[in-house]
């Protein structure tokens, strides 16, 4: 039996200009970076998805990745022993890639509003996968180029103008199936970071349909054709973990609550993800929960400082969950300063790292 820890962490490493993150990681980085790295070193995931890690958009330049691994994850200062991830994958993204038409109706085609995914530049808010185990790059499947209108019954808002209505891609960043080889066995990592359901008029519907995409992938929906032309979803019986910042809470916030609940209830997911050892919880969220009113969700399950469960690590029923957690310590504890409740130089991130231990 192989025991491993899989985690998702929106690290808020978005910066205002292309290349800014790489330059910062190679030079005088903000205190935020060291705090994020300390959290990772303390939790010690074997496989880790980082959301909002800026890159070049196509995932070709690993300068920022190498600097983060070398200068911060391998650090001997601060809490947690050094940790090494020999395998990394920058996930190509739609953020900041401009449409050939005006989406917001202001008469110009400019970033970030007129892009397939919101971003000031191509690669802002990207995703990075770090792994102790080999990544089977040749076998991965990406749905970055799938157009929103190609989803049967898509909830495309009537206000979305042509030709953007026919051209806009469904995924605001990417939906990707990344196989990882662990002791001769394959584990599929289904990673996504849907758009927030706010800020733009069509974002609520888009977030809902981005969540539906992976629901349909688990149902082997025939309309799904990946970027390499392969049709269909994930074969029955394949072990997987569905993970990422979904930007949607099952009962609070602005998202489509019913869509989230349907995804969480998918029969291919392990039931312990809904109630049991694979349901991540924290003491910090519970302590912070007393300050939030009007929220229905369990504060111990929150993963965002606004009192929402937005980040998920969901193992399939083929796996055996052994434990789970949200890395969020209460303010009065020694590690409390790592989890400042305001985003800025004194905070690690506005999100919390979520992890699940599984037996493969």
């Amino acid at each position: 039996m192989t025991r491993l820890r899989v985690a998702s962490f929106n690290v808020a490493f978005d910066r205002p200009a292309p290349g800014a993150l790489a330059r910062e990681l190679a030079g005088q980085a903000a205190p935020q970076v060291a705090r994020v790295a300390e959290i990772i070193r303390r939790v010690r995931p074997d496989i880790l998805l980082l959301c909002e890690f800026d890159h070049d958009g196509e995932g070709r330049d690993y300068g920022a990745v190498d600097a983060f691994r070398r200068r911060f994850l391998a650090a001997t200062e601060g809490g947690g022993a050094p940790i090494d991830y020999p395998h990394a994958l920058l996930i190509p993204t739609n953020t900041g890639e401009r449409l050939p038409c005006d989406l917001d109706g202001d008469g110009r085609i400019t970033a970030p509003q007129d892009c397939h995914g919101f971003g000031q530049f191509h690669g802002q808010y990207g995703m990075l996968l770090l792994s102790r185990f080999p990544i089977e790059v040749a076998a991965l499947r990406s749905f970055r180029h799938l157009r929103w209108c190609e989803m049967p019954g898509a909830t495309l808002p009537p206000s979305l103008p042509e030709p953007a209505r026919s051209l806009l891609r469904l995924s605001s960043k990417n939906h990707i199936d990344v196989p990882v080889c662990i002791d001769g066995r394959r584990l599929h990592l289904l990673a996504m970071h849907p758009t927030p359901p706010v800020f733009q008029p069509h974002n609520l519907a888009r977030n809902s349909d981005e969540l539906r995409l992976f629901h349909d992938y688990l149902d082997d929906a025939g309309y799904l054709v990946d970027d390499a032309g392969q049709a269909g979803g994930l074969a029955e019986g394949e072990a997987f973990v569905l993970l990422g910042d979904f930007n949607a809470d099952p009962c609070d916030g602005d998202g489509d609550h019913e869509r989230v609940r349907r995804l969480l209830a998918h029969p291919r997911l392990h039931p312990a993800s809904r109630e049991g050892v694979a349901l991540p919880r924290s003491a910090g969220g519970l302590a912070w929960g007393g300050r939030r009113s009007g929220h229905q969700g369990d504060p111990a399950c929150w993963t965002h400082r606004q009192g929402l469960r937005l980040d998920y690590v969901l193992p399939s029923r083929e796996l055996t969950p052994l434990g789970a957690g949200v890395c969020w310590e209460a303010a009065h504890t020694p590690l409390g300063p790592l989890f400042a409740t305001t985003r800025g130089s004194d905070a690690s991130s506005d999100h919390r790292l979520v992890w699940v231990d599984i037996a493969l």
Side-chain angles (χ1 to χ4, degrees), residues 114-196:
D114 300 316
C115 297
H116 284 288
F118 187 91
Q120 296 286 351
F121 56 88
H122 194 196
Q124 191 178 31
Y125 309 110
M127 291 187 286
L128 165 66
L129 182 68
L130 298 175
S131 175
R132 290 182 48 238
F133 304 97
I135 298 170
E136 299 182 23
V137 177
L140 68 79
R141 299 185 66 191
S142 166
F143 293 89
R144 173 184 164 197
H145 294 112
L146 182 74
R147 291 177 297 141
W148 194 356
C149 65
E150 294 177 287
M151 171 180 275
T155 54
L156 278 159
S159 59
L160 197 63
E162 289 287 6
R165 186 180 183 85
S166 301
L167 296 175
L168 187 63
R169 297 169 186 167
L170 174 54
S171 183
S172 57
K173 298 168 187 73
N174 203 340
H175 286 64
I176 191 164
D177 175 350
V178 186
V180 176
C181 183
I182 304 170
D183 296 338
R185 296 188 61 185
R186 176 178 281 182
L187 176 67
H188 293 263
L189 304 173
L190 310 185
M192 65 173 169
H193 184 190
T195 185

Side-chain angles (χ1 to χ4, degrees), residues 19-35:
L21 178 64
R23 291 189 293 272
E24 178 182 331
L25 294 176
Q28 187 64 39
Q32 176 215 9
V33 176
R35 293 187 174 98

Side-chain angles (χ1 to χ4, degrees), residues 227-351:
D227 297 338
Q230 180 181 345
L234 184 64
E236 187 69 30
E238 293 284 345
F240 67 88
V241 176
L242 174 60
L243 74 168
D245 171 6
F246 295 0
N247 268 317
D249 182 290
C251 53
D252 295 308
D254 298 295
D256 183 342
H257 305 146
E258 179 58 29
R259 177 67 69 193
V260 184
R261 289 195 288 265
R262 267 190 249 167
L263 181 59
L264 294 175
H266 197 285
R268 292 189 66 176
L269 291 172
H270 200 288
S273 296
R274 298 185 287 276
E275 185 176 358
V277 295
L279 179 62
R281 301 170 64 87
S282 77
L286 197 59
W288 173 240
R291 302 188 186 183
R292 309 296 298 189
S293 61
H295 286 226
Q296 302 178 43
D298 182 355
C301 296
W302 290 348
T303 68
H304 190 271
R305 63 178 177 82
Q306 291 183 343
L308 298 168
R309 182 188 181 194
L310 302 181
D311 307 85
Y312 300 82
V313 179
L314 306 169
S316 70
R317 65 190 182 200
E318 290 81 13
L319 303 168
T320 303
L322 304 173
V326 178
C327 187
W328 190 350
E329 300 291 334
H332 64 274
T333 65
L335 297 181
L338 290 174
F339 307 96
T341 53
T342 57
R343 181 171 175 175
S345 61
D346 293 332
S348 50
S349 173
D350 48 346
H351 290 254

Side-chain angles (χ1 to χ4, degrees), residues 7-13 36 40 48-53 68 73 89 91 125-130 193 243 353:
S8 178
F9 192 9
N10 182 325
V11 292
F13 279 10
V36 164
I40 295 170
L48 173 62
L49 176 70
L50 300 182
C51 297
E52 296 192 8
F53 190 103
F68 184 56
L73 296 182
L89 177 69
I91 299 172
Y125 309 110
M127 291 187 286
L128 165 66
L129 182 68
L130 298 175
H193 184 190
L243 74 168
L353 184 151

